[in-house]
Amino acid sequence: MKTLFKSLICTLILILGASIQSEAFASVAEDYITVNGIVKDSQTKKKVEYATISIPGTTTSTISNVDGEFSLKIKSSVEARELVISHVGYSSSHVSISKGEQEAKTYYLSPNDYVLKEVIVQPALARSIVEEAVSKIEANYSPKSNMFDCFYRETVQKGKRYIQISEAILNLYKEPYTKGIERDRVRIFKGRKLVSPNQKDTLAVKLMGGPYMSVLLDVAKNKDILLDKEMLSSYEYTMEEPVNLDNRQQYVISFRPAVVLPYALYFGKYYIDKQSLAFTRIEFSLDLRDREKAISQILIKKPAGLRFKPLDVNFLITYKVQNGVSYINYIRTESQFNCDWKRRLFKSKYTVLSEVVATERDDAPAESIPYKESFKYDQTFSDKVSSFTDEDFWGGYNIIAPTESLMDGVKKLKKQYK
């Protein structure tokens, strides 16, 4: 069955859990410098969200948040002299840094407009380009096992108010792209959470999300989602205007359902490097035109009498190229839905957001993650981590910089416990 969500589970049952910290991880050195900044469009001065910020010659990286802000911790032992900032549609920017920099700076990216003047490829070729890109996955993606340090964040909002904020450092093990995802595993190193103590915020609903999405949503490896032969034939493809990413031209190919199946399909776009034919970015959203199909696909469990209506279910996956090899970089899922009880007048709108960014990589791991230590697809993340306490909880680990609204949400949730 070509459905994705039955194995991607998060919960809105708000229960305080026990703390977790694996002793299998070496501690991060305290000796590091921090570079803070905000990424903006050089022409419009608008903030650029989800830009990749990395140190050349290393595996250290992070992304900017929805406010364009980032914070990157760099070990002092790394002779870092510059940052590389990149985003689709912009020319990559190389900016110098110096030790001791703590004050946030503004970094500008210049739109790469000349690419858009190129003649658009005929639509008839769109599917053949996607098929050729699929055939080149084993050549373009890692032929080795890799162990990643990742930062994970999961938030739940009721209206505009945060009712749950959970974060963690994950360890993600991936086998070569010549193999499937069966032995890919993820475990929690350390994590924390804040949940609303208000009983009115408790909602016993299970749906997609959780750390295991770092395994399942690697679309280039888990082809069952979109890229196996059966799924490729279920869509129609259209060439869009090409764009630039990391100073390389990208095909942009949109896709939409072409057939009716017993389960919901997706609308989305592939970004494919024109030289290597590697997938660099994949955006897609669940087809909600048949709501019953969509609900059966994303809803794992709900109380009797609760009416559930999905409004939007979106995904973003990006890959980062290093030395000619593509690696998973960032995965984001966002769901919006309404819930209300029968015989009650008012309904509530919920937004569930999960995101994971790979911040470090070891391409010669000594061993995999033992199964008993791994996070299982049917487990609930918020039940596995402790409450917010230590202000320097992350130490030298890189994270996605919190937005202003998220920091405000943390403060408000903390006040409820005083």
Side-chain angles (χ1 to χ4, degrees), residues 17-283:
S19 65
I20 180 169
Q21 182 163 339
S22 170
E23 295 180 359
F25 292 77
S27 60
V28 175
E30 293 292 332
D31 192 15
Y32 57 86
I33 64 169
T34 303
V35 179
N36 300 301
I38 182 169
V39 184
K40 291 186 177 182
D41 184 300
S42 62
Q43 295 181 4
T44 66
K45 303 302 186 285
K46 290 183 177 179
K47 300 167 183 176
V48 178
E49 58 186 33
Y50 314 132
T52 297
I53 300 94
S54 58
I55 304 298
T58 75
T59 62
T60 302
S61 66
T62 190
I63 62 163
S64 61
N65 63 23
V66 295
D67 294 333
E69 299 170 345
F70 72 89
S71 179
L72 184 65
K73 295 171 183 175
I74 309 164
K75 295 178 183 178
S76 295
S77 58
V78 175
E79 293 297 323
R81 294 183 175 85
E82 66 175 9
L83 298 175
V84 177
I85 306 175
S86 60
H87 193 282
V88 65
Y90 294 88
S91 297
S92 295
S93 177
H94 292 247
V95 295
S96 61
I97 57 174
S98 59
K99 289 188 176 181
E101 286 194 49
Q102 296 290 332
E103 199 170 316
K105 293 184 177 180
T106 300
Y107 300 93
Y108 292 98
L109 290 180
S110 299
N112 196 292
D113 295 327
Y114 74 90
V115 177
L116 302 181
K117 299 176 183 178
E118 182 180 304
V119 176
I120 304 301
V121 180
Q122 294 298 314
L125 295 179
R127 177 172 171 174
S128 64
I129 292 172
V130 175
E131 290 175 338
E132 191 171 356
V134 173
S135 72
K136 291 183 175 292
I137 285 176
E138 292 185 6
N140 283 323
Y141 294 79
S142 180
K144 302 178 181 179
S145 296
N146 291 270
M147 189 78 81
F148 298 84
D149 282 341
C150 302
F151 175 73
Y152 174 81
R153 178 178 287 137
E154 179 180 294
T155 63
V156 180
Q157 289 177 269
K158 184 178 181 180
K160 294 184 178 181
R161 180 170 58 88
Y162 285 95
I163 61 173
Q164 179 175 310
I165 300 168
S166 306
E167 301 173 328
I169 300 298
L170 306 178
N171 203 222
L172 172 64
Y173 174 80
K174 283 189 172 291
E175 291 207 321
Y177 278 67
T178 54
K179 300 181 179 180
I181 65 168
E182 293 77 17
R183 292 184 58 82
D184 290 1
R185 292 174 183 164
V186 61
R187 71 180 159 193
I188 301 172
F189 166 39
K190 61 187 301 187
R192 62 182 187 176
K193 69 176 178 184
L194 278 172
V195 296
S196 170
N198 190 335
Q199 288 296 317
K200 292 182 179 180
D201 291 333
T202 301
L203 179 65
V205 172
K206 283 191 175 182
L207 62 163
M208 76 281 177
Y212 198 70
M213 72 176 186
S214 57
V215 173
L216 287 182
L217 278 173
D218 184 348
V219 174
K221 194 173 190 192
N222 188 15
K223 300 183 185 69
D224 281 356
I225 301 174
L226 290 168
L227 298 177
D228 72 0
K229 290 183 179 180
E230 179 183 340
M231 296 311 295
L232 285 172
S233 63
S234 299
Y235 294 91
E236 60 182 42
Y237 303 88
T238 303
M239 296 297 303
E240 307 288 348
E241 290 184 327
V243 297
N244 189 75
L245 177 63
D246 288 332
N247 299 332
R248 294 168 67 96
Q249 292 184 357
Q250 311 286 315
Y251 291 119
V252 181
I253 300 175
S254 62
F255 58 91
R256 58 182 292 118
V259 297
V260 177
L261 295 176
Y263 46 87
L265 295 174
Y266 310 97
F267 292 87
K269 288 183 180 180
Y270 296 119
Y271 295 74
I272 300 172
D273 186 280
K274 297 184 71 171
Q275 290 179 265
S276 67
L277 290 181
F279 292 96
T280 55
R281 180 184 176 100
I282 302 171
E283 306 166 356

Side-chain angles (χ1 to χ4, degrees), residues 1-21:
M1 185 177 182
K2 303 294 182 180
T3 54
L4 165 63
F5 303 115
K6 293 301 182 185
S7 297
L8 284 175
I9 299 176
C10 81
T11 184
L12 302 188
I13 303 174
L14 306 181
I15 306 172
L16 287 174
S19 65
I20 180 169
Q21 182 163 339

